[in-house]
Amino acid sequence: MAEGSASSETGTVEPVELLDGPVWRARADAHRARVERWTLPHRERRRRHEAHPVMDFLFTYYSLRPVRLEEWHPGPGVALRDAEEFLDRPGYVRDGDGLRLDPAQLPERLGSTAEFVRALLVATASRPPRLGCFGLHEWAMVYRTDAPRHGAVPLRLGAAGTDAVVEQLPIHCTHHDAFRFFTVAARPLNALTPERADQAEHEQPGCLHATMDLYKWAYKLAPVTPSELLADCFALAVDVRELDMRASPYDLADLGYPPVRIETPAGRAEYARAQAGFAERAAPLRSRLVAVCDELAVTI
């Protein structure tokens, strides 16, 4: 392993870490092994045509294919020896004894994506976390409907009991992509009407969906996002998704997900504690993604 340099478009010389083949292949193998904990069971379920109400969301709502999640990228500032296969990937160029990712060789649209993502993440980080939503977005998605999103899974409190919780507790969902799945009857009950156009005005770090979306922004910025950061965001999204569904109206105990009973004061307190913990875990990942956006801003 050695240090080299690469010239940027501004004429400055930027340090490049040069990794020998065994070193970067070990990193790539470690990354693949880490994410296969989730991708291999997902593939097996698909082979059996078996739905999973908790985990499928991470591979369907989020559109990155498992093979792409498993693929390793070093990110900028790293050159790889003995890595000819990377020439088949967009953005990789020769640099002395190795190959490295040159963001300037990537499509210009990635720059506009980075601009949007950066503005959203910085705005989100500027706000204190709101911890009083209690996951009611999932309840609002089944309010007064005969066709819940996970129709094969029973509701813990039944339809009438679920509707009563929605009517008794205040709903304050700030996330557009959760709000848009509210039933027609539930939409007027929300304190806000978040739209795509005003997303940056509403998102806040306590929102479980905003935290899960760090994974989406990580892969939207690929291949500039180092794969270790991508995997960190995915691992957090997995944990958040579990809370999201444990606090939902569905009975998932038989799948190994004991309920967080947000219809009770104790359950709401449990939810808020977990929500605060996820906001704390998300903060450094959000900062790292902002740095990726900044890398793109000066090179594309």
Side-chain angles (χ1 to χ4, degrees), residues 50-87:
E50 178 183 303
H52 195 292
V54 178
M55 294 300 297
D56 283 353
F57 176 84
L58 298 164
F59 296 99
T60 54
Y61 173 80
Y62 294 116
S63 60
L64 189 68
R65 291 184 295 154
V67 67
R68 295 303 180 199
L69 177 57
E70 293 164 351
E71 190 175 75
W72 182 77
H73 290 275
V78 180
L80 311 175
R81 281 196 178 104
D82 186 26
E84 294 299 305
E85 61 264 43
F86 278 78
L87 286 176

Side-chain angles (χ1 to χ4, degrees), residues 7 10 67-68 109 129 131 135 163 168 237 273 287 296 299-300:
S7 297
T10 61
V67 67
R68 295 303 180 199
R109 59 178 170 76
L131 305 178
D163 291 348
Q168 291 165 7
R273 286 193 300 271
S287 295
L296 279 162
T299 54
I300 290 186

Side-chain angles (χ1 to χ4, degrees), residues 17 31 79 83 150 215 246 250 294:
E17 182 184 17
H31 168 75
H150 301 288
Y215 169 58
R246 288 179 59 213
Y250 298 104
D294 289 341

Side-chain angles (χ1 to χ4, degrees), residues 150-234:
H150 301 288
V153 183
L155 299 174
R156 287 193 296 107
L157 305 181
T162 299
D163 291 348
V165 171
V166 174
E167 292 164 358
Q168 291 165 7
L169 296 175
I171 307 177
H172 200 294
C173 180
T174 57
H175 195 273
H176 166 69
D177 280 321
F179 177 71
R180 69 189 177 95
F181 290 108
F182 281 26
T183 64
V184 172
R187 290 175 70 88
L189 302 179
N190 197 40
L192 301 172
T193 307
E195 301 288 347
R196 179 75 67 201
D198 57 16
Q199 188 174 4
E201 298 176 24
H202 293 301
E203 289 209 359
Q204 47 83 23
C207 173
L208 294 194
H209 277 263
T211 297
M212 285 190 286
D213 279 353
L214 294 178
Y215 169 58
K216 175 170 67 175
W217 306 132
Y219 70 72
K220 291 286 187 182
L221 297 168
V224 182
T225 306
S227 290
E228 289 81 2
L229 174 54
L230 177 67
D232 287 345
C233 292
F234 186 81

